Amino acid sequence: MVKAIVGANWGDEGKGKVTDTLAADADVVVRFQGGANAGHTIKNEYGKFALHTCPSGVFSKGVVNVIGNGVALNIPILMKELEEIVSRGVPMPDIRISDRVQIVMPYHILFDECEEERLKGAAFGSTKSGIAPFYSDKYAKIGIQVSELFDEHYLKDKLYNICALKNPMLQHLYHREPLNPDALFLTCMQYREMVKPYITDTAAFLSEAIKEGKTILLEGQLGTMKDPDHGIYPMVTSSSTLAAYGAIGAGIPPYEITQIIAVSKAYSSAVGAGAFVSEILDEEEAEELRRRGGDGGEYGATTGRPRRVGWYDCVASRYGCALQGATDVAFTVLDVLGYLDEIPVCVGYEVDGEITRDFPTTRRLERAKPVFERLPGWKSDIRGIRSYEELPANCRGYIEFIEGQLGYPITYVSNGPDRKAMIYRKDRVK
Ligand code: GDP
């Protein structure tokens, strides 16, 4: 059975923790899109880890971790991450890298930096991981597939062509030194040695795993609002963040994905620029939630920069779940809200004098104002509670109100960063 674990919002919803928890019963965990531009924070018996490239199954014994063809693979970062987790006592995970995955090259990162510098104040707030230049090259058909590292003549020709295309821009627009194709070739040869032991026809491997009835988790990065088609374009990422893309980015039939768990945090957070309707505008109020949020505050796992925070947004989340095709919702980081007397929840948007519950396109979204309803808080610490019935009545009220607004079942409730802090609503778990 294939399950997708994906973000219903802007990312940082706690997908890593949900995957890490569910990986205990899984055979395979697959990354299918994105690169080292976002991070999952995972806390378990080995300690606290920020993963950027490794699938979250790396901590679970017997799990095969697949880097699917849809990923933007930064080879040195993957190697560094593997080294780090092993040096901290985690057994060397079983890693398979798709022979069709493409490589993030140093010049992708350079172009990302140059472009952010050129845009200055109007920049996208890129993490400068080279993701947009990488996917641009992939679709312009000048990307480098891992399999091509083994065909030296072909690769050399390709690198000369890439430099011929990129150097005029680098020299004349960005005023930087030109790329040297021979130096890039040597870099590619180093990359080849690093990835060689892990390269697999992962589509064939997954097809076999499906036939054998294995449990496979597809692990999404970021969330619906960052999808290039359905998100807040252009403040989006460059690969699809939707469960549907899991089929493409992993190389499996779409109908095999039978469970789609949309992860949604009990309040909102976003990084970078872009419309954020339910944002808390009072800086003191925002800082309080930011400080208490997540595990150790709402600060980016990759960049360390403070995240923007807001109240739960039912309009964005319902849309987020719909586009993911959620069969289940995992409602996370609920424990953080225990300090509030009242909790505002955004139930609608006012756009040009009209109230709507539908998520608008970006230009209209930028004019949207939130319509809030206030729910009573539960004023207690819910960490450590393991059954739904033991949650305070107001806390259950909050969950059920939001579930009603979403129209999707909240099956999992996460009340702490730890792997065990997960309440299953048994009446809902399929
Ligand atoms: P991801 O990219 O969706 O995996 O999210 P991040 O890892 O960037 O952010 C989620 C943060 O919330 C991490 O610091 C997690 O350790 C933390 N976290 C996840 N679930 C919970 C929870 O239920 N309660 C608390 N307090 N923190 C959580």
Side-chain angles (χ1 to χ4, degrees):
M1 144 179 233
V2 184
K3 304 177 183 190
I5 301 170
V6 285
N9 306 109
W10 296 265
D12 306 317
E13 299 96 342
K15 294 176 294 294
K17 136 98 200 238
V18 175
T19 312
D20 184 47
T21 305
L22 298 185
D25 301 318
D27 301 297
V28 185
V29 177
V30 189
R31 280 279 315 260
F32 62 88
Q33 45 94 212
N37 52 325
H40 289 315
T41 313
I42 293 177
K43 203 173 184 177
N44 54 31
E45 66 269 34
Y46 298 106
K48 189 174 172 179
F49 297 86
L51 297 184
H52 304 286
T53 294
C54 279
S56 301
V58 289
F59 303 104
S60 303
K61 216 171 148 231
V63 168
V64 178
N65 292 277
V66 172
I67 310 260
N69 53 277
V71 167
L73 178 62
N74 184 316
I75 294 172
I77 290 188
L78 174 68
M79 294 301 136
K80 215 169 122 224
E81 248 173 50
L82 285 173
E83 251 170 52
E84 197 207 320
I85 60 172
V86 171
S87 75
R88 290 177 59 191
V90 180
M92 180 61 194
D94 186 344
I95 300 271
R96 314 284 171 101
I97 297 174
S98 164
D99 52 2
R100 291 176 187 272
V101 73
Q102 295 200 10
I103 305 165
V104 176
M105 293 292 289
Y107 54 77
H108 291 134
I109 296 162
L110 175 66
F111 269 83
D112 215 346
E113 283 166 5
C114 289
E115 184 57 7
E116 285 284 298
E117 209 176 286
R118 188 184 72 87
L119 289 171
K120 293 202 180 77
F124 287 93
S126 163
T127 59
K128 300 185 188 119
S129 309
I131 302 302
F134 166 90
Y135 282 107
S136 305
D137 280 3
K138 177 172 177 176
Y139 293 107
K141 296 174 284 190
I142 53 167
I144 299 172
Q145 213 178 63
V146 151
S147 62
E148 294 171 353
L149 296 175
F150 296 88
D151 192 334
E152 295 181 15
H153 287 295
Y154 177 86
L155 181 65
K156 228 175 205 168
D157 283 352
K158 190 167 199 169
L159 287 168
Y160 270 86
N161 180 47
I162 289 170
C163 291
L165 277 168
K166 293 197 181 289
N167 279 343
M169 201 163 159
L170 209 48
Q171 289 174 282
H172 301 297
L173 179 66
Y174 298 131
H175 310 295
R176 299 284 186 124
E177 291 297 309
L179 303 171
N180 176 336
D182 296 317
L184 288 173
F185 180 76
L186 290 180
T187 304
C188 285
M189 290 303 101
Q190 287 166 355
Y191 287 175
R192 182 171 80 180
E193 289 315 300
M194 293 180 198
V195 290
K196 213 172 176 178
Y198 310 107
I199 298 175
T200 309
D201 178 347
T202 49
F205 168 79
L206 291 171
S207 169
E208 214 39 52
I210 291 169
K211 267 194 222 134
E212 288 166 10
K214 299 265 167 72
T215 300
I216 298 166
L217 303 184
L218 301 180
E219 178 180 31
Q221 182 221 36
L222 297 168
T224 306
M225 305 312 149
K226 295 286 183 183
D227 184 74
D229 282 81
H230 297 285
I232 51 170
Y233 190 85
M235 297 302 179
V236 294
T237 193
S238 303
S239 65
S240 176
T241 57
L242 301 183
Y245 190 75
I248 298 163
I252 59 168
Y255 54 78
E256 295 291 353
I257 307 173
T258 48
Q259 191 183 13
I260 297 173
I261 303 169
V263 184
S264 192
K265 190 155 65 179
Y267 56 91
S268 302
S269 72
V271 270
F276 185 20
V277 179
S278 68
E279 183 164 17
I280 302 173
L281 300 173
D282 180 294
E283 197 30 54
E284 221 170 279
E285 212 180 348
E287 187 49 34
E288 167 104 82
L289 181 55
R290 184 177 300 122
R291 194 170 48 75
R292 292 171 176 270
D295 181 33
E298 289 288 354
Y299 304 94
T302 301
T303 56
R305 63 187 167 182
R307 294 176 184 147
R308 297 160 73 191
V309 291
W311 302 118
Y312 193 80
D313 184 336
C314 297
V315 179
S317 302
R318 183 172 53 248
Y319 175 80
C321 289
L323 270 296
Q324 291 292 7
T327 57
D328 302 81
V329 177
F331 198 52
T332 60
V333 204
L334 186 60
D335 49 300
V336 158
L337 300 183
Y339 73 100
L340 293 157
D341 294 317
E342 261 193 342
I343 312 175
V345 176
C346 175
V347 294
Y349 291 172
E350 192 196 313
V351 189
D352 302 334
E354 274 178 36
I355 307 275
T356 179
R357 294 178 74 223
D358 297 326
F359 192 73
T361 51
T362 311
R363 303 306 297 163
R364 289 187 70 227
L365 183 70
E366 279 158 4
R367 300 197 297 277
K369 308 249 175 329
V371 177
F372 285 117
E373 245 183 69
R374 287 169 186 278
L375 302 193
W378 47 93
K379 297 291 286 178
S380 61
D381 185 3
I382 59 163
R383 285 202 188 187
I385 293 179
R386 293 287 174 264
S387 81
Y388 187 73
E389 293 66 35
E390 283 168 45
L391 288 171
N394 283 352
C395 183
R396 279 182 277 131
Y398 184 75
I399 297 166
E400 286 159 30
F401 176 83
I402 285 171
E403 186 175 51
Q405 290 280 323
L406 292 179
Y408 295 91
I410 295 179
T411 344
Y412 305 88
V413 176
S414 172
N415 61 336
D418 194 77
R419 185 186 264 182
K420 294 192 194 73
M422 183 75 90
I423 298 171
Y424 296 85
R425 294 176 75 190
K426 292 195 188 66
D427 55 322
R428 281 146 202 274
V429 176
K430 287 192 183 89

